[in-house]
Amino acid sequence: MNCPYCGMDMEAGVIQSPHEINWLPKKHFFGRAEFHKGSIILSEFSYLRGSAAKAYLCRNCEKIVIDYKDGSCDLNKKNE
Ligand SMILES: [Zn+2]
């Protein structure tokens, strides 16, 4: 993937967590997406495998891009 800011080639990698990985409109003490309208799940919670979302890094711009279209960034979903 090319960086949408500078156009350079981005490095593929993952963001991982033992918990669900999501985007929320703001920080909450209970951060599960199901409790918050407008939230986006980037990787569903998996007790056995942990959660991991595919992400692309641009070291030049110091930005990370996640393409979550149809849940494609969720590495748990991909393996099922
Ligand atoms: Zn860039």
Side-chain angles (χ1 to χ4, degrees):
M1 180 187 280
N2 289 329
C3 176
Y5 297 92
C6 72
M8 283 177 65
D9 209 26
M10 301 183 89
E11 290 175 45
V14 299
I15 292 175
Q16 65 177 58
S17 167
H19 307 286
E20 175 186 273
I21 300 170
N22 57 36
W23 180 93
L24 303 173
K26 63 176 190 168
K27 189 178 186 300
H28 295 279
F29 186 75
F30 292 107
R32 299 252 332 241
E34 64 180 304
F35 301 126
H36 305 289
K37 196 177 172 196
S39 61
I40 304 286
I41 294 174
L42 301 173
S43 181
E44 290 177 4
F45 171 74
S46 170
Y47 182 77
L48 293 176
R49 291 176 291 196
S51 300
K54 198 191 298 182
Y56 293 87
L57 171 75
C58 179
R59 293 187 190 273
N60 187 43
C61 298
E62 299 180 352
K63 295 188 190 306
I64 293 170
V65 173
I66 297 173
D67 180 1
Y68 71 92
K69 189 174 196 305
D70 301 325
S72 60
C73 63
D74 189 346
L75 293 178
N76 280 340
K77 224 174 218 176
K78 203 175 177 184
N79 294 337
E80 285 171 359

